[in-house]
Amino acid sequence: MKMHNHILELERAIWNWHYSGEKAALEPIFNVISQGLEEDMQALTPMATIDFQRFAANEEGKCLLPIFTSETELNKEEKVSASWRPLREIFEVIDQWPDCLGVVMNPWDKQLVLTRDALQMVRCRQPKSHLAFVRGSVVDMHVGAIVNAANRSLLGGGGVDGAIHRAAGRELLAACIKLNGCDTGKAKITDAYGITYADHIIHTVGPIYSGREQDADLLSSCYWNSLDLAVENGCVSVAFPCISMGVYGYPLPEATKISLLAVIRWFEAHKDAVMNVYFCCFNDREMEAYMKLLEGENEFS
Ligand code: AR6
């Protein structure tokens, strides 16, 4: 059965939420659900009430309605007969069923429970672009596009570039050869090949830090141009590494601020787009630099 795009994005958002740990934001998940509701998102749900009973949340028989984002998630444990139904209809069933406490998404593995109140809130809220911070590798993210901090040759290298090429395989190198390199601050797109949890890889080239004024503009352009390419290619989720903050030596206090401002400004300039952006910090230093920036008073306004 064909998997609807919105439901794939929901599966990705749930996965990223688990990967991001305890304090992870739910906004990316809410964005996908509220947009999906507007666009007839379908989810897999069991046919028979008997199948819900095993998800009983308490002794009074109050239960959670299970929904699955794909056949793969459905079949991870014992077989349940389920069918694709519009999420809107599933939520209406819950409205009329006082003993139902909410939904449990993908109950077999990496589950997410949303209570009736949470569902009500999701239905009322306006989806809007969101930036989340993740302590981890872009290569692990389940997104429309993974951004690569490449060099001007686009033929691979060390750092995250090397990790992406190793994961995506030789087909990626073959595709990159055809791109004829990329100027600093610009971005080019390919398929994700062996990285099956993403649709695309966006290759951007950050500046080698020189301390000159143009460094900031070039770094900012990497984020801006990558997001433009993502939108043009139908992506609604993008994972960035900390561009130029590794081998290219951009000091973290400046580079984190430039990247944050670039994305906030892009959101403001693209109010019609709903983009879930993840900044992936591969080490604690990067994460701490972002957290420091966020704690600072209006430093980035
Ligand atoms: N997996 C995931 N992320 C990583 C990894 C990894 N194995 N290694 C580093 N990062 P960098 P740059 C994170 O140095 O500074 C390459 O050779 C790192 O912590 O990869 O833009 C290219 O070919 C940081 O968050 O890129 C270029 O020649 C982010 O990736 C040059 O390095 C970027 O660090 C580009 O330098």
Side-chain angles (χ1 to χ4, degrees), residues 136-140 148-164 166 204-208 219 240-250 252 280-283 285-286:
S137 167
V138 277
V139 184
D140 295 330
N148 181 16
N151 59 52
R152 295 185 346 150
S153 78
L154 297 188
L155 301 181
V160 72
D161 197 5
I164 287 175
R166 278 193 299 280
T204 189
V205 184
I208 300 172
L219 185 58
F240 281 95
C242 302
I243 300 164
S244 285
M245 292 181 233
V247 174
Y248 279 0
Y250 217 120
L252 295 185
C280 297
C281 300
F282 192 59
N283 59 48
R285 276 180 49 251
E286 293 165 350

Side-chain angles (χ1 to χ4, degrees), residues 31-246:
N31 273 343
V32 179
I33 297 177
S34 32
Q35 273 197 303
L37 284 171
E38 280 167 25
E39 292 166 37
D40 204 31
M41 170 155 78
Q42 313 256 329
L44 272 172
T45 191
M47 307 285 284
T49 321
I50 185 87
D51 284 327
F52 303 159
Q53 305 300 327
R54 72 189 70 186
F55 301 103
N58 64 22
E59 285 151 11
E60 291 147 37
K62 300 214 175 195
C63 62
L64 291 164
L65 195 153
I67 66 172
F68 298 87
T69 51
S70 62
E71 304 272 353
T72 310
E73 288 296 331
L74 175 71
N75 294 326
K76 276 187 175 168
E77 274 195 32
E78 58 206 284
K79 187 92 185 138
V80 182
S81 167
S83 64
W84 289 96
R85 284 192 205 165
L87 204 61
R88 182 177 296 283
E89 270 177 32
I90 298 173
F91 287 1
E92 281 163 9
V93 168
I94 295 172
D95 286 342
Q96 288 154 26
W97 184 10
D99 278 349
C100 184
L101 299 173
V103 293
V104 51
M105 297 183 178
N106 294 340
W108 302 146
D109 181 28
K110 295 193 172 52
Q111 61 169 245
L112 173 71
V113 171
L114 291 181
T115 60
R116 297 176 77 98
D117 287 349
L119 295 178
Q120 198 51 39
M121 189 274 292
V122 175
R123 285 148 107 181
C124 299
R125 84 188 266 286
Q126 275 294 105
K128 66 173 203 266
S129 290
H130 183 264
L131 173 60
F133 298 87
V134 180
R135 171 67 178 82
S137 167
V138 277
V139 184
D140 295 330
M141 296 297 285
H142 293 206
V143 283
I146 289 174
V147 177
N148 181 16
N151 59 52
R152 295 185 346 150
S153 78
L154 297 188
L155 301 181
V160 72
D161 197 5
I164 287 175
H165 274 269
R166 278 193 299 280
R170 295 202 63 79
E171 274 180 301
L172 176 63
L173 181 61
C176 285
I177 289 169
K178 293 193 191 129
L179 295 176
N180 291 317
C182 180
D183 289 337
T184 307
K186 297 284 190 317
K188 294 192 175 179
I189 193 164
T190 62
D191 286 347
Y193 302 102
I195 302 179
T196 52
Y197 298 125
D199 299 324
H200 300 285
I201 297 170
I202 292 173
H203 308 263
T204 189
V205 184
I208 300 172
Y209 183 69
S210 69
R212 282 178 292 191
E213 220 171 275
Q214 73 239 36
D215 292 346
D217 288 342
L218 290 170
L219 185 58
S220 184
S221 298
C222 288
Y223 288 87
W224 193 281
N225 290 329
S226 297
L227 288 170
D228 277 353
L229 260 187
V231 139
E232 282 162 24
N233 286 274
C235 301
V236 294
S237 52
V238 181
F240 281 95
C242 302
I243 300 164
S244 285
M245 292 181 233

Side-chain angles (χ1 to χ4, degrees), residues 235-274:
C235 301
V236 294
S237 52
V238 181
F240 281 95
C242 302
I243 300 164
S244 285
M245 292 181 233
V247 174
Y248 279 0
Y250 217 120
L252 295 185
E254 283 96 326
T256 48
K257 187 169 170 178
I258 292 161
S259 59
L260 188 64
L261 271 175
V263 170
I264 291 171
R265 289 195 180 128
W266 190 91
F267 286 173
E268 276 166 9
H270 298 80
K271 289 233 160 68
D272 292 344
V274 179

